[in-house]
Amino acid sequence: MSYLFPTYSRWEVEPESAEGSILIDKDGKRYLDFTSGIGVCNLGHRPPAVQEAISTQLNKFWHVSNLFIQEQQEIAAKHLSQAAGMDLVFFANSGAEANEAAIKLARKATGRQKIITFHQSFHGRTFATMAATGQEKIKEGYGSMLETFKYIPFNDFSALKGEMDEKTAAVMLEIVQGEGGIHIGTQEFLKKTEQLCKEYGALLIIDEIQTGIGRTGKAFAFQHFNLDPDIVTSAKGLGSGLPIGAVIGKKKLEKTFGPGSHGSTFGGNPISISAAIATMETIFQEEFLKDVQEKSVYLSNKLTELLEPIPAVKEIRQLGMMIGIETDVNLPSLLKELREKGLLALPAGENVLRMLPPLTATATEINEAAETLKSTLLEYSKSAV
Ligand SMILES: Cc1ncc(COP(=O)(O)O)c(C=O)c1O
């Protein structure tokens, strides 16, 4: 019997060790891990630079509280602000906490309450972020939600225009809806959304929790679309596996989050911060991001070549190293079959196989994943008929 609440349907795999893109289970079986801990281990498992930074900090101090000046927090905040082209950071411990803070910040800064979000979006599991999420299944059984969220179809500008008014505090969106099934925002929709927000004095909050920290080949995915958000949230890849979240905001929001207005005991924890600095110092380099972009083109070509001809593959959607393969086969059993063959991948949305490979995955590993997918999808399609 398990003493854990069964909130997750767990896989049959029990990890023993992991390095780079490879995970070894208790039985010594090798897996190619194209889940990256759900988009967290962007540098692969246990990247040496991050491991060294953590162990250095472990020998200094682990926790002191935010009553103290902590230079490392300043360094991490500077990296994040500069990479996002913004000014100020609040550190939290998770994605949901970062979004929670962003929602509070937007409401307080504008003095308005309504926030527009999108169908299939995912923003977290706390009460406000669950309410922000545009998926009914996430809210089932929890009773009444915060009522100030309005949900409209993604990429539908006329729906947005219809919902926008002078009471709107913010529009909150993911550039690529990750959990919702790898749905990518269009250039036209995103740019018009930004302009409409400016027109109405509403803030644009971009949830980069899954898309940020190099995942799409830019420091943040909004940078593919030349956008100018007011608030950006980050988590997942930021700490390479150590828990950390962040809200990045513009200077004009400084007074809204004055002393005593928001807080977190563990937010900006020194160990997590040390991991975040080492992660950002690796990823936020032109050469590194260029390599991710080249790699994602290679991956895209491979997947198109090998998978597109397979009837069970309905669509392949990709931005950088975020990939969604829409299929019409039974997804849980397909993922299980892949695990048996040593490839770890994720579900998303209704019937989308999602891969979030480490940004450091090699061409050989990409080939291996694509070949495994091809043979499994072919076999699986045959046996499903
Ligand atoms: C876009 C997005 N926002 C928020 C979250 C919530 O992050 P966390 O699980 O760290 O609270 C997630 C997690 O999957 C996410 O993908």
Side-chain angles (χ1 to χ4, degrees):
M1 105 141 227
S2 171
Y3 287 97
L4 298 170
F5 273 114
T7 48
Y8 288 89
S9 315
R10 289 176 193 262
W11 297 341
E12 62 290 347
V13 182
E14 191 174 355
E16 173 68 24
S17 65
E19 188 177 357
S21 311
I22 305 302
L23 185 144
I24 309 289
D25 79 3
K26 286 259 195 269
D27 302 321
K29 180 170 170 172
R30 168 196 178 276
Y31 295 89
L32 184 56
D33 183 2
F34 270 24
T35 72
S36 302
I38 320 187
V40 168
C41 306
N42 286 2
L43 292 170
H45 290 285
R46 294 193 299 110
V50 181
Q51 184 148 338
E52 195 186 320
I54 294 167
S55 58
T56 303
Q57 186 59 41
L58 276 174
N59 287 318
K60 292 184 180 170
F61 58 93
W62 298 3
H63 176 83
V64 287
S65 91
N66 286 320
L67 299 172
F68 293 82
I69 294 168
Q70 294 181 55
E71 193 198 351
Q72 299 292 95
Q73 285 188 351
E74 291 289 346
I75 295 169
K78 186 173 171 190
H79 284 327
L80 269 176
S81 299
Q82 289 186 341
M86 298 171 85
D87 308 295
L88 294 161
V89 172
F90 175 85
F91 283 114
N93 307 287
S94 66
E97 274 183 60
N99 282 342
E100 190 81 25
I103 290 163
K104 287 176 70 174
L105 182 59
R107 284 175 59 145
K108 193 161 181 237
T110 57
R112 306 173 182 179
Q113 300 208 3
K114 176 170 156 183
I115 296 184
I116 301 173
T117 65
F118 296 88
H119 297 169
Q120 301 136 209
S121 60
F122 184 79
H123 298 295
R125 300 281 194 162
T126 61
F127 241 90
T129 60
M130 170 173 66
T133 293
Q135 300 185 50
E136 280 315 307
K137 66 175 188 208
I138 303 289
K139 309 174 196 187
E140 239 169 62
Y142 291 111
S144 58
M145 293 286 131
L146 265 182
E147 280 168 10
T148 49
F149 291 98
K150 300 289 172 208
Y151 317 94
I152 57 167
F154 193 45
N155 278 333
D156 184 341
F157 184 68
S158 64
L160 178 65
K161 229 172 149 183
E163 192 57 73
M164 177 66 86
D165 57 20
E166 273 81 16
K167 291 186 176 150
T168 305
V171 173
M172 182 170 181
L173 56 84
E174 298 155 86
I175 298 290
V176 182
Q177 294 183 322
E179 301 301 312
I182 312 291
H183 300 289
I184 306 168
T186 64
Q187 173 72 66
E188 190 192 356
F189 171 74
L190 293 169
K191 199 67 198 170
K192 280 183 162 176
T193 298
E194 176 205 285
Q195 284 158 357
L196 194 70
C197 284
K198 284 196 182 7
E199 212 178 292
Y200 280 84
L203 302 180
L204 177 60
I205 305 174
I206 301 190
D207 176 343
E208 291 262 7
I209 282 154
Q210 195 161 145
T211 51
I213 319 296
R215 171 55 55 195
T216 68
K218 299 262 187 194
F220 294 97
F222 75 81
Q223 292 163 333
H224 289 282
F225 300 91
N226 188 29
L227 299 175
D228 179 31
D230 302 287
I231 300 173
V232 169
T233 54
S234 177
K236 284 193 183 282
L238 180 55
S240 283
L242 269 79
I244 184 167
V247 183
I248 317 162
K250 286 201 167 154
K251 183 83 178 156
K252 65 181 179 188
L253 301 167
E254 187 171 20
K255 288 206 170 67
T256 310
F257 263 3
S261 57
H262 192 56
S264 165
T265 298
F266 288 123
N269 166 269
I271 311 293
S272 296
I273 286 284
S274 70
I277 293 172
T279 302
M280 289 189 281
E281 287 181 352
T282 308
I283 293 179
F284 295 165
Q285 299 288 341
E286 220 171 288
E287 273 306 295
F288 184 92
L289 291 170
K290 193 164 154 263
D291 185 57
V292 177
Q293 286 165 22
E294 286 168 5
K295 212 169 272 186
S296 55
V297 171
Y298 180 80
L299 176 57
S300 166
N301 290 339
K302 262 270 153 268
L303 294 179
T304 308
E305 178 198 330
L306 298 187
L307 305 187
E308 225 170 51
I310 301 175
V313 173
K314 297 297 153 207
E315 194 177 30
I316 303 173
R317 298 188 285 272
Q318 180 179 354
L319 187 66
M321 296 291 262
M322 253 181 123
I323 303 106
I325 302 168
E326 195 161 329
T327 74
D328 62 2
V329 302
N330 181 297
L331 191 60
S333 54
L334 171 65
L335 292 170
K336 189 165 191 294
E337 189 92 23
L338 289 169
R339 289 197 294 276
E340 275 161 26
K341 292 189 175 163
L343 176 64
L344 303 178
L346 295 159
E350 290 303 314
N351 50 353
V352 179
L353 182 149
R354 176 176 41 152
M355 290 194 294
L356 301 167
L359 309 181
T360 50
T362 62
T364 314
E365 288 165 346
I366 289 171
N367 293 347
E368 182 186 328
E371 291 291 348
T372 309
L373 278 167
K374 180 187 168 184
S375 63
T376 313
L377 274 161
L378 276 174
E379 264 171 47
Y380 197 87
S381 320
K382 264 186 239 144
S383 64
V385 174

